[in-house]
Amino acid sequence: MNLRQLRYVVATADHGTMTSAAQALYVAQPALSRAVRELERELGVELFARSGRGVVLTAVGEQVVRQARVALDAVEAIEGLSGGRSGGQGAELRIAATAALEPELTGRLLPRFARDQPAVRVRVIRCAGREAVAAALRAGRADLAVTDLPVPGDLAAHPLEQREVVLISPPGLRLRDPLPLTSLDGMRLVLPARGGALRSEIDALLARTGARPVPAVESDERGAWLGWVRAGMGSLLWYRSQLDDVDGLTVRSFMPPVTRLIGLVHAHRRLPPAARDFLAFAKETSREAKVRDHL
């Protein structure tokens, strides 16, 4: 028995279906179902019975969930005592990220966090891709990670923001707005270099659309991308939240919109105080941003 299984059982009880519970926890539904079944086999009891399209607790399941809530509340209280005493002072915080998401840390979150927590030493661990990020967390080389959601069931996820992929085009290029994804077929694009993590993300997106654009420039020199677009060499697929200077260029959304849910992720173990502080800070920053967007 472990805390992850208890969290999954409680979430399933609260949401009525394993699919809804997995969505609420930002984990894959098969991973959640497997963890619940493993706990049932270990305990030798049936915790849930099917009811229509969902599930309901059995009599023994209600008892297990009641005790699971007590156990999870106790763990949270103990972790709070640990974090409250040290306050994260003088600690090291290790955060893993891919090259595509590292700007979210170094350009936006970390500078503000450093002003609030100057004694915390932050180390960013750059990973080649999502699998490397998960491996760093499982091996204990990183305390937290910024990555796409959902994640495997052995990791805990905290959603931060929905990021939109947009098309940045040279001035004068006549295209619809919003733009159908099929319009990318045959379009000249400025792309990251082949074989890298950034290119893999773009290639995965293009594979889902079925479009086959023409590589106009292939380079990881991110600072030069917009210059090449301004020179008319091609258009660029990138994230709206990471655009700084697009004067003179045209930014178009897609229809249907292309988005990625970004969150902070960690292994199911007690977080160091500095990591708990950063997680709370990032969630509050995300809430503030959402409020500003709706004003």
Side-chain angles (χ1 to χ4, degrees), residues 120-148:
V120 177
R121 302 183 305 275
V122 180
R123 181 158 60 95
V124 177
I125 301 172
R126 178 177 289 186
C127 298
R130 294 182 62 189
E131 293 76 12
V133 166
L137 291 171
R138 293 180 181 120
R141 297 193 303 273
D143 305 305
L144 295 169
V146 178
T147 188
D148 302 89

Side-chain angles (χ1 to χ4, degrees), residues 163-168 175-189 201-214 235-238 252-260:
R163 291 165 41 129
E164 182 188 10
V165 178
V166 294
L167 183 75
I168 304 100
L175 294 170
R176 293 172 57 184
D177 191 7
L179 185 70
L181 286 168
T182 53
S183 298
L184 293 173
D185 199 37
M187 184 180 295
R188 292 175 59 83
L189 291 183
E201 293 184 22
I202 298 297
D203 285 346
L205 167 64
L206 293 172
R208 290 194 296 271
T209 68
R212 294 187 177 183
V214 177
S235 298
L236 173 68
L237 288 170
W238 202 236
R252 294 180 175 87
S253 297
F254 289 100
M255 183 57 67
V258 179
T259 60
R260 294 171 61 192

Side-chain angles (χ1 to χ4, degrees), residues 18-284:
M18 291 188 179
T19 298
S20 298
Q23 292 172 346
L25 294 172
Y26 295 93
V27 299
Q29 188 270 336
L32 183 141
S33 300
R34 185 165 55 251
V36 172
R37 288 196 301 270
E38 289 172 353
L39 181 59
E40 288 180 322
R41 284 197 296 269
E42 181 178 347
L43 297 177
V45 298
E46 186 179 31
L47 300 177
F48 296 98
R50 289 193 173 277
S51 176
R53 295 184 178 180
V55 294
V56 295
L57 287 166
T58 63
V60 68
E62 291 179 356
Q63 298 179 54
V64 169
V65 167
R66 189 179 306 117
Q67 297 301 326
R69 294 188 195 276
V70 173
L72 294 173
D73 288 345
V75 169
E76 184 175 349
I78 292 170
E79 291 176 345
L81 289 174
S82 172
R85 275 202 282 280
S86 66
Q89 296 301 306
E92 180 183 59
L93 174 60
R94 304 163 302 166
I95 307 180
T98 61
L101 295 181
E102 190 173 335
E104 298 294 321
L105 289 172
T106 58
R108 188 166 63 91
L109 290 174
L110 288 185
R112 289 183 57 187
F113 181 73
R115 289 195 296 268
D116 296 338
Q117 299 277 4
V120 177
R121 302 183 305 275
V122 180
R123 181 158 60 95
V124 177
I125 301 172
R126 178 177 289 186
C127 298
R130 294 182 62 189
E131 293 76 12
V133 166
L137 291 171
R138 293 180 181 120
R141 297 193 303 273
D143 305 305
L144 295 169
V146 178
T147 188
D148 302 89
L149 303 182
V151 292
D154 62 329
L155 299 176
H158 306 267
L160 293 180
E161 68 171 291
Q162 195 84 248
R163 291 165 41 129
E164 182 188 10
V165 178
V166 294
L167 183 75
I168 304 100
S169 302
L173 186 63
R174 300 175 64 88
L175 294 170
R176 293 172 57 184
D177 191 7
L179 185 70
L181 286 168
T182 53
S183 298
L184 293 173
D185 199 37
M187 184 180 295
R188 292 175 59 83
L189 291 183
V190 174
L191 294 167
R194 295 178 186 271
L198 296 179
R199 182 60 177 269
S200 296
E201 293 184 22
I202 298 297
D203 285 346
L205 167 64
L206 293 172
R208 290 194 296 271
T209 68
R212 294 187 177 183
V214 177
V217 180
E218 297 176 294
S219 171
D220 285 335
E221 296 181 46
R222 190 180 306 183
W225 287 349
L226 292 181
W228 289 325
V229 175
R230 285 192 175 90
M233 300 179 69
S235 298
L236 173 68
L237 288 170
W238 202 236
Y239 305 107
R240 187 182 292 275
S241 62
Q242 291 186 13
L243 296 179
D244 295 323
D245 181 16
V246 291
D247 290 345
L249 301 178
T250 304
V251 179
R252 294 180 175 87
S253 297
F254 289 100
M255 183 57 67
V258 179
T259 60
R260 294 171 61 192
L261 183 59
I262 305 301
L264 281 172
V265 179
H266 58 84
H268 284 292
R269 62 170 70 98
R270 184 167 66 89
L271 290 175
R276 290 174 59 87
D277 288 345
F278 184 82
L279 182 58
F281 159 80
K283 287 182 176 181
E284 181 60 29

